[in-house]
Amino acid sequence: MVNKKVSFVCTTYRRFYCLKRIVAMYHAQTYQNKELIIFNTDIEYPYELGFDDPTIIVVNNDKNYETGEGYTNRGDILRDAVTHATGHYFMLADDDDIYLPYHIQQAVEGIEELRTDSWKPMMSMFANQENTYISKNVMEASCIVKMNRIREIGFRSDITGYEGLSWYTILRDEKQLDEHNPNYIPSYCFNWSDPHEVAGHKQSGDIDNPNNFDNHKKSSGDYCTDPLISLDKLELDIVYQKYYSFLKSQENNINADYYKKYFSPLLK
């Protein structure tokens, strides 16, 4: 059986370090049939890959494909980014979040076991500068979804911060997304632990502000200055160690079978 391709879709604006980290985490994924779509809306500082990898697609664009005008919300950006995807499955790569090496593999195996249109773990990690927690939340970036459903339903475009609730809510109500799935080990972290100069503006923390989209552009100042490369292995190991230590501390609170299947091999 041929594993189906996963499109890991990242929309971004002036988070250069975060993009280097995303590329490193993408390369660290144990699942092989994948592509990374980097859709950069800052054309003043465009991205170009500093290495050869045909599975990474970089698009620099700041104009809405349907209107030809500048973007006013993230939903339209995601809609346009997905047009470049060739995968059977969609997974969101929020540029400032953390994805452990088994993130895509566990999601693919989960959705194919359930034979549903999407899969989601009941809980994921949340980190701020003080601590890391296990948290129950919508957390769209923890999900995997069939690409045809993403294209069918689309993304909310009325307000930035709610763009994923379009497909999420519909699939949940159709019983194609189980918010209470216990068969997983956390693989994704909703990350608020980066310093301000790295993270800039947090759209999820300004979610009901009508100026949320513009505020993100004004506050994100980590410009692209060189060709895009990956964090090296040592740098990525340092990033991951915090989350590995946390999961080890939570071993008694995590599904033992999934801990053994996905996490234990990383510790050898």
Side-chain angles (χ1 to χ4, degrees), residues 11-22:
T11 65
T12 190
Y13 184 90
R14 293 186 183 175
R15 279 178 168 164
F16 190 42
Y17 170 80
C18 290
L19 257 292
K20 291 191 286 187
R21 186 171 64 193
I22 281 285

Side-chain angles (χ1 to χ4, degrees), residues 8 28 42 50 55 62 73 90 112 144 175 184 201:
F8 204 36
D42 178 22
T55 74
D62 68 347
N73 64 84
F90 165 89
E112 294 190 349
I144 185 171
K175 301 191 184 308
Y184 70 97
H201 174 265

